[in-house]
Each structure stands twice: as C-alpha cells, then as structure tokens.
Amino acid sequence: MGNKQTIFTDEQLDAYQDCTFFTRKEILRLHGRYHELAPHLVPMDYTNDPDVKVPLALIVNMPELKENPFRNRIVESFSEDGKGNLSFNDFVDMFSVLSEMAPRELKAIYAFKIYDFNVDNYICKEDLEKTLNRLTKEELTPEEVILVCEKAIEEADLDGDNKLSFADFENMISRAPDFLSTFHIRI
Amino acid sequence: MPKKSDTARKLDDVGIEIDGDVESAEEDKKTKGRGAKKPAAGKRGKAAASEDGEDEDEDDEPPKGRRAANKKKAAQADEEDSDDDIPQRRCAGNRRRGKVRESGRDGENEKSGRKSRKGGNKKKDGKGKGKDKENDKDSDKDEKKKKNSSGDDSKSDEEEESMSEGEMAKLMEEVEEKKKLIANIRNKPWRMRRRLKVLKEAQQFVDKFEGALGKGKGRKLYAYKVMMMKVLMGLPYGSIPRKTVPRDEQATAMDYSVLMDFNGYCKYSVLFYGYYNNQRTIGLLKFRLPLSYLLVGIGTFGYSLMVVIRTMAKNADVGGGDGEDNEFTFAWKMFTSWDYLIGNAETADNKYASITTSFKESIVDEQENQKDENIHLRRFLRVLANFLITCTLGGSGYLIYFVVKRSQEFANMDNLSWYEKNELEIIMSLLGLVGPMLFETIAELEEYHPRIALKWQLGRIFALFLGNLYTFLLALFDEVNSKLEEEDSIKNASIWFVKEYYANYSANNPNDTGTPPPIDPADIIRGPCWETTVGIEFVKLTISDIQVTYLTILIGDFLRALIVRFLNYCWCWDLEAGWPSYGEFDISGNVLGLVFNQGMIWMGAFYAPGLLGINVLRLLTSMYYQCWAVMACNVPHERVFKASKSNNFYMGLLLLILFLSLLPVVYTIMSLPPSFDCGPFSGKERMFDVIMETIDLDLPAFMGTLFGYVANPGLIIPAVLLMVLAIYYLNSVSEAYKNANMELKKKMQMARDEEKNRRNNKDSTNQVMKDLEDLLPNRAHAPPENRAEKKHDQGGKSPKVKPGTAGGGVHLQKDVSLASANPSARGPVTRAPGPRGPGPLPGQPGPGRGQGPPPRRQ
C-alpha cells in the first residue's frame, strides 16, 4: 500500500473536505474502498486526477448496496454519464449525500432522482409501480399496486398533473419522520 | 446439629445451669491459666482493677455483648477457648456456631504467627522490669473500661462490629493504647503464650485501624471491607435473630425444596426485607441504613415516575410536530420505508416482508373505510364480546382469590404435595397463558380494524394481569393483617422469653453481678415478619413467571419450529405454510410482559431488595435467549405496527402500572406498623418515623422546626390547592395552543387545497371554478346548498383526477375539505358581502341551486 501521502495532495484533500461531509481520514478510506472495487483499474496515486471510472456492476456489489432494491438507480443517479459508471468524484459524492451529515434538502434532491426511474424529472405512475415492486418483491397483486400508486399520487400531488414534480416530492418528503434515518448509508 | 437438643433444654431451667457452668468454667480457666492471680479471680466485676489485661477483657465482654451483638461475645469466647480446657468449650459451643468457627481458625493462625515473633520479645523480658509495668497496665485497663471496651470487640472481630457515633475518636485512642501495649509487652509478667496472643491481637488491631484512620497498609482493604460489609449489609448472617435461621428450622434450612420456596436460609438472607437491621448508623461513615432503605424505596418511585413522564412528553413532542400522520400514508411508505442501512440478506428479506404487510395493511385500511355493513349486528357482537371478556376477567380474579385463600389454609398443613405448594403460581401463570388466547378468540367477534383490535387486546391482557396482581395483593393483605394480629402475642412472648432468661440466669448465679451470656440468636422467639412474607410471594411470582416464559418459548417456539421444519418432509400438507407454521414473534405481547414485570419489580423491591438482582439476571438471560429464539424459530409478525406510533401507548401502560404498584407500597409505608423484630424499621411505630428521627437527631434544630412548618396541614393544603390551580392553568393554556395549532393546520390544508384547485382549474375545470366562485357568498350563508354542491362537485371531479380509483374513502374526505376550503380561504371576500347578505340572501338559494349543476357538467 506504500506511502499514504501519495494518494492525494493536501490541496486535494482539503478540497474534498470542503465539498463533502467527510474528513480526510474518511476520504482516504473511501479511496481504499474505491480501489478495492477494481484494483487493476484504479490507481493508488490520485494526485493528477486520473480519468478512471468503475462500472455499475462492480459498485452495486459493495456490501453497503448489495441488498438495496434501488442500488442500480442509486449508482445511476450519481454517475455523471447517467449509465452508472462512477468516477472517484461521483463515488465520494454518492456517499457524502448518503452520509448522516447531509441535510434533508440535499437528500431529497437525490432521492427524487433515484425514484425517477425514467429520468423525466417527474415521478409518474410508472416510476411508482417500479418502486413499489422493488420494495415488495412483487408480492402485491396488480390491483393493489395500482391502488397504492394512485393513492400515493393523490396524497402528494399538489398541482393535479397526476405525477409528482420535485416540488410535490419535496413537500411530501420534508414532513416524513423517517426519511432522514432511512436515507442514510454508513461507510 | 447435635446441639439442637441442648437448645431445647436451654429453653427450660436446664439452660440456666449450663450457663452457670460456662461462667464457672471461665473462671476455672482463668485460675488455671495464671496461678498467681487465683485469689483475684473470685471477685469479678468492676472491682477487679488489679487484674491483668486479659481478665479485664473478659469482664468487659458481657456488658458489651448485651449492648451490641451477641456474636462478639461468642467469638471472643472462642478465642479464649483456644487457651482453655475442654469443658468450657463444650458449653460455649452452643453459642458460637457458624461464624465463630472462622474466628477460631483465625486464632490458630495467629498463634503460629505469634510464635515466630515471640523470640525477640522474650529476650527483653528477661531484664525483669515486671512490677512497674504491671501498674501501667492496670491504668490502661481502667481506661479501657470507660471506653466500653470497644477495643476488645474490634480486636476479636472488628468486621462484625459496627461502629457507633463518636467511635472514631475512641478508635484513635485505642490504637494509641495498643501501640503502648506493644511497646511494653515485654515487661508484663505474663506467660509467653499469653503474651504472644495479646501482642498478635494488638498488632492486628493497630494494622487494621491505623489503616482506617488514614495511615498504614491496611487502608485500602479496610475501606473496601467497610464499604462492602458494614455499610451495605450491617451485621453479617447469624449475628442477630433476624439474620439467623430459627433453631427448629435449621435442620431443613438447606434442603432444596425449602430453598426453592425461598424459606430456610433464603428467607434470612439479604434478599429480603427482614434481614436488614434497624441500627441507626453503621460504621465510620455513619451509614444510615433504615433511612436510606426508605429513601431508596420512595426515591425509586419518584425517579421512575419522572423518567416515564419525561419520555412520554418527549414522544408526544415528536409525534405532535409532524402534523397529521394520515396525510401521506402511502407516499411515505413508498419513499421512506426502505432502510438504506440494511446490508444483510436476511434482514433485507424481513424488511421486504414487513413492507409488504404494511402496504397490505394500509390497503385493508382503505377498503375498510369504504365498507359499510350491518351496524346493528356488529354492535351486538361487540357488546357480547365485551361482556364475555368482563366475565373472563371476573372469573380469573375470583379464581385467584380462591386460590390464595386456599394457600393460606395449606400454609397451616403439613405433607403438601408439590402442586399444593405451588398452586397459586401455577394458576396465575396458566391464567396469563390462557387468558390472552381466549381474548384473541373473542375479539374476532368484534371485527375491529387490526390496529385498534391490537390495542383492545393489549388493554385486556393488561387488565387481566393487573386484576390478577391486585387480587393477589388484596389476598396477601388479608394475610398480612392476620400476621399483624399474631405478631402482638409473639412480641410479648419474645420479650417475656428474654426476661425470663435473664431472670433465671441471675437467680441461678446470685453472686454474679455481671450479665449473662446472650441468648443464641437462633433461639429467640420470632415474629412472623409480614414484610418478608410479602417479599417471598413476589419473588416466587417472578420466578414462576420466568419459568413459564422460558418453557413457553422452548415448547411453543422451538419445539414447534423443529416439528414444522423436519416433519414437513413426510406430512400430508405443507406444515410451514399451513396450520402450525412457525411461531410469530409477538412484539406487543413481549413488551407487555416487560411492562408487567417492571410493575412487579416496583411493587416487590421494597420487601425483597434481592428481587432487583433476580430481575437483572432474568432480563439479561432472557434477552439472549429470546434473541436466539427469534432468530432461530420465529417468523416476523404478520402485522407490523410502527413502534413509534404506539410508544406512548406502552408508556401509558407503564405509567399506569407504576401508579398502581406505588399504591400498596406507599400504603404499607404510611399505615401499617412494621414488624417488631425484623427489617430496618423494627421498633418504630410507622416506617416513615425514620425520617422524623433523622430530622430530630441529625439535622440542626432549626431544620426540625422548618420541617414542622412544612408538614403542617395549614401549609400543605394551600400548596396542594396551588398545584391544582397551576395544573388547571397549564391545562387550559395547552388547550388554547392546541386549538391554535388546529387552526393553523386547517389553514395550511386550505392553502394547499386551494393551490391544487387553482392548478386544476387551469386545465379544464375553469368554468366550474368560476361558477363556484360566483356562488361563494351564497355558500357562506346557505349551508344546505353547500352540501348539495359539494356532492356534485365531487362527482364531477373525481373522474378527472383519478380514473378508476378504488380508494373512494380518502378521496371523499379530501374533496369535502376541498369544497369547504374555498369559502374560508376566501375569507375576506366572503366576509365582505356579509353585511350585505340579508339583501341578496333570500333570493339566492334559487339561482344558486339552479346555476350550480349545469356548468359543472360542461
């Protein structure tokens, strides 16, 4: 593993510290985790910002994400190219947003992205059905699914367009008592 | 055990003779031991100033023994014995049992230690300054006498002696004395054996007490011992009657069956109230055991109350801040129910299952809202169910009362079978097992919503438990009262016995002015000690509860899981999916069990301090045991309820049971006289007299008068009044806040609905809304119309918002609020026409009704 100092320069670490909710130590540990995912791909030396991306398939196998029904969506929404390939920056960003320190508003934005399966900036019925099916492992009957989705939209939809815009979503999620405690990954 | 026969005799006149023997034997020994002092030995007592140190010690013993603990005497006698001849030992044997044995062993050790040291001292002795020193010694002796000879006590067994006030200074003096003695011992005209013994004792004494007083090596050890032995427990087992198994019980005291009933040695152990002594202060630190016993007992209740209420308040806070829970049921479930922290496959599976059931539950909720059934039948069924349950509760209460009465009869009989001995516990446990099942079956008649049904069920189980506990308690109070009556006669008998004993003693030894040796603590006549009885009942109840819980888990969960799992290979139907299936982990039932258990701790801890330890053990083991059972043989409960939602429900139950368990304890503290011969409050009129005593004796006088004022009814009644008024005031303030809160919520809701409407209008309902607005002034003043319109409105809108909706119930509510929102949201507008109202109003209804419907259909 050699000399820890050579992974990042001090400026890089400071910058990361400012941009995330992590400390230097945690950044270095994240790098370790990132490196572990694809040892042959990811260099130990990050001082010159290598352009490396780890594909989605490797990332969703992290123990932190493996059991999450939305793991693909999480990774996709944090990847810059939208396909699920994460650079180290994306990687850090992801865990920073999911960390305990991140504020509710920030979490809400990314949660919206995650649940927006078809990336049309609205959570529509289709998205809700997918969400529901992943949450219940498709144990509900189709009628039940439709009922639940309709109810959910009816509850949260402020503007009556039959789909949830971000404003609707934020309004709803900002009052959810459990959101902060459940939308949280410890690494 | 052979000594028992001796005791029996002792109770008669014979005993006196034996004691006489003891005395004479002691004298014999003295004379034998030191031939030179023979003449002096005859006249014992205070005049014997010329005797040497050890004689002095012996003289001092009896008074001391009388004053403090019998044990001391016995122990000292023991040490003397080591020097003495056999007859003496035989007689004294009765007195020192158990404990004394230790000191005997110590004595031997001492001897061997002494021998090595002796050599050095001896040489100096040879120089022969004998006579002068003897005088010195005598003066020493006198001093000692004045000091109640506490030095001797501590020398022989300081562990057992507890120090009284002012002992510190005395101790210092004694330590100095002992040092002097050590320095001069070579000059004493004693036999070497005796000199060595005295030296050894003196050295030990100095070591120990110097440590206690701040220097020397024994300090830490001493401090520890003081803390553990003296401060916490007072005198050890066997020192005084309340801490000793009575003679006629001693044969069986160690039997397993007796111990399982918490009789025998258990009954006279630290576990129970009776063990604690009523000595006011213990040890150097002046630990006031009775006072702290009372304060801890009451303080626990105070602290528990505070904690429970604080937690409830906090929960209420959290719950209140979030607004209505119903607003986003499905959306929240959809977006926040998955816990992103889950990283374990099994946990994830459980989570999927629980999310699915929670969705299903909500769906059922929804459908239930729409359901509309034969309300009369349902009402009838509910009344019937409640009637049945009341009958069950009453029946179980009566059954317990009956059993308790029967057990009191049994208590006077011998040759009881195991069942008869444990009938009460068995019945109570069985009721606890069968009752809930019965309730569940009956509750199916009611067809409540599952969540409400669960609360009913829990409430009923709670009532069952509580009813059982209280019946049990009432029956117990009957017993206590009979024991209290019985106690009076025993008290007289006990006093009479002691008096008789001393009278006989002095009659048989007319020339002995000293005090007779104290009676063996095992022989004194005891009262029934109702507190310990109550404590034993609670401990037994707890133990049987533990047994039943563990057995239920073992059979109901583990065995069932085994059968279901392995017989499934060769069975006609699917056992896992079908009838027996795996046990569910019943969270609510288990929480209720904890609550109930806590109640028993609160109630019983005052009478059986050891109950706390038992329960700590129980909770620790049951945590791991149940954890294993849950992981290995249970499946998640079919209905999952948000713990946070019912938190205050459980806390409410806890508060209720805390209050209910507080009642009997406070009642006994305030109004029942404590037993006369056991427990920290013996000899007091009432338990709380301890506080008065402390105020009188330990606090400065002005504090006493201060408390006198505070306790004055003239002050208390106004204070209570003030508190009531304060409660009333705070209550109305919170009511006002609640109303304001509701108003604000309503406003928010309106704002939201209005926004919704406005956007809806943009699409296609413009016309409708306009019409509605036109109608507004009328609506404000003509409620009947309003209703009609609302209905129309709903009919018109629902197809737009959600085609094919199945959840009409919630929808309907929404629309109602939507419709009613408009008039108030437009408050300023509607109000403005208000004054004008009377004019247009009469004419309006017609057009209003006429205009409304057509545009909506457009």
Side-chain angles (χ1 to χ4, degrees), chain A residues 104 171-180, chain B residues 322 328 332 336:
Chain A
R104 192 185 272 264
N171 173 50
M172 181 269 298
I173 213 81
S174 65
R175 300 199 227 168
D178 295 334
F179 177 61
L180 278 186
Chain B
D322 284 320
F328 295 118
W332 281 349
T336 66

Side-chain angles (χ1 to χ4, degrees), chain B residues 492-520:
Chain B
N492 291 336
S494 180
I495 294 170
W496 180 84
F497 173 75
V498 174
K499 273 197 182 143
E500 194 80 341
Y501 169 80
Y502 286 118
N504 279 343
Y505 177 81
S506 40
N508 288 4
N509 307 274
N511 56 351
D512 187 356
T513 51
T515 40
I519 314 171
D520 188 294

Side-chain angles (χ1 to χ4, degrees), chain B residues 276 283 404 510 538 707 760 852:
Chain B
Y276 298 89
V404 173
F538 274 106
F707 274 107
N760 282 357

Side-chain angles (χ1 to χ4, degrees), chain B residues 612-627:
Chain B
L612 293 182
I614 294 174
N615 269 295
V616 168
L617 281 183
R618 177 227 174 119
L619 292 176
L620 271 181
T621 49
S622 88
M623 180 175 78
Y624 288 109
Y625 182 54
Q626 293 203 313
C627 175

Side-chain angles (χ1 to χ4, degrees), chain A:
Chain A
M1 291 281 123
N3 192 347
K4 285 259 150 96
Q5 299 306 83
T6 59
I7 299 175
F8 296 109
T9 62
D10 268 357
E11 296 84 62
Q12 276 178 309
L13 280 177
D14 283 341
Y16 275 128
Q17 242 177 325
D18 290 341
C19 295
T20 67
F21 298 96
F22 293 123
T23 63
R24 274 159 182 264
K25 244 188 183 171
E26 286 166 326
I27 300 277
L28 289 173
R29 203 172 65 227
L30 273 174
H31 178 265
R33 293 297 304 275
Y34 190 63
H35 177 78
E36 260 173 40
L37 290 173
H40 52 283
L41 262 178
V42 181
M44 279 312 287
D45 178 14
Y46 249 76
T47 45
N48 50 1
D49 269 334
D51 181 25
V52 175
K53 292 192 170 177
V54 175
L56 177 136
L58 290 177
I59 292 174
V60 294
N61 271 328
M62 292 176 73
E64 284 84 1
L65 293 174
K66 214 170 65 196
E67 298 300 333
N68 197 313
F70 308 112
R71 52 186 175 274
N72 289 357
R73 280 301 306 152
I74 296 174
V75 176
E76 277 164 22
S77 20
F78 281 97
S79 76
E80 239 169 308
D81 59 6
K83 300 215 173 71
N85 302 318
L86 291 193
S87 68
F88 180 68
N89 288 343
D90 297 336
F91 187 77
V92 172
D93 190 25
M94 175 167 83
F95 284 108
S96 168
V97 169
L98 288 169
S99 79
E100 208 165 3
M101 311 283 290
R104 192 185 272 264
E105 299 77 45
L106 186 66
K107 280 177 183 260
I109 291 171
Y110 282 95
F112 183 75
K113 278 187 162 194
I114 289 172
Y115 294 118
D116 181 16
F117 281 81
N118 53 12
V119 208
D120 61 353
N121 259 340
Y122 284 103
I123 294 183
C124 52
K125 238 172 223 169
E126 190 190 334
D127 297 326
L128 286 176
E129 275 166 28
K130 278 188 187 160
T131 310
L132 190 57
N133 281 333
R134 292 193 185 204
L135 273 178
T136 58
K137 288 205 163 171
E138 306 186 17
E139 299 239 338
L140 296 181
T141 62
E143 294 82 49
E144 284 172 329
V145 171
I146 290 173
L147 171 72
V148 170
C149 293
E150 270 167 9
K151 286 273 138 221
I153 286 187
E154 183 195 320
E155 282 168 359
D157 184 18
L158 287 180
D159 46 18
D161 54 3
N162 242 341
K163 52 192 179 183
L164 303 183
S165 66
F166 177 66
D168 299 334
F169 184 79
E170 197 188 20
N171 173 50
M172 181 269 298
I173 213 81
S174 65
R175 300 199 227 168
D178 295 334
F179 177 61
L180 278 186
S181 59
T182 54
F183 198 71
H184 163 208
I185 290 180
R186 212 174 278 139
I187 189 157

Side-chain angles (χ1 to χ4, degrees), chain B residues 694-733:
Chain B
T694 310
I695 291 172
D696 287 346
L697 297 179
D698 292 335
L699 295 180
F702 76 91
M703 290 292 273
T705 45
L706 211 66
F707 274 107
Y709 291 134
V710 171
N712 190 332
L715 233 140
I716 288 181
I717 292 173
V720 169
L721 268 179
L722 191 69
M723 272 157 76
V724 169
L725 288 180
I727 290 172
Y728 174 75
Y729 172 73
L730 289 178
N731 205 27
S732 37
V733 165

